[in-house]
Amino acid sequence: MGDVSSGMSSSIMQLYLKQVLEAFFHTQSSVRHFALNVIALTLNQGLIHPVQCVPYLIAMGTDPEPAMRNKADQQLVEIDKKYAGFI
């Protein structure tokens, strides 16, 4: 995260993080799917701290679609691997 592009990406993600997380509760599954993908990519790149996403990922674990439940659970497992004892 030492270069300019990652700093800019982090700033942009911080700016829109709340709206992306709120999209987890949208009625259309495609919107929820894309929001989950954005959060997964952002977490994998380390652009945001996971504490902001954990409650939303836990809520996404109850999604009616199995693929989204599994992806949310996978993200929680990844967070637990990176930050042992965090969850």
Side-chain angles (χ1 to χ4, degrees):
M1 294 238 338
D3 64 355
V4 174
S5 63
S6 66
M8 180 64 80
S9 299
S10 181
S11 297
I12 292 170
M13 195 56 214
Q14 289 293 330
L15 183 64
Y16 293 107
L17 180 62
K18 182 74 172 163
Q19 289 86 352
V20 173
L21 290 173
E22 290 298 323
F24 276 22
F25 304 112
H26 200 277
T27 56
Q28 292 181 346
S29 64
S30 61
V31 174
R32 295 192 313 270
H33 175 74
F34 286 119
L36 185 56
N37 282 341
V38 167
I39 293 301
L41 288 171
T42 304
L43 286 171
N44 288 337
Q45 293 175 13
L47 298 176
I48 58 173
H49 195 277
V51 74
Q52 300 165 306
C53 300
V54 169
Y56 291 90
L57 289 169
I58 292 170
M60 185 60 83
T62 65
D63 195 86
E65 295 192 25
M68 284 195 261
R69 284 195 309 259
N70 292 338
K71 188 162 186 164
D73 288 341
Q74 179 185 7
Q75 289 304 307
L76 289 169
V77 168
E78 290 297 320
I79 290 170
D80 190 46
K81 284 180 187 175
K82 287 183 182 178
Y83 306 94
F86 183 72
I87 297 179

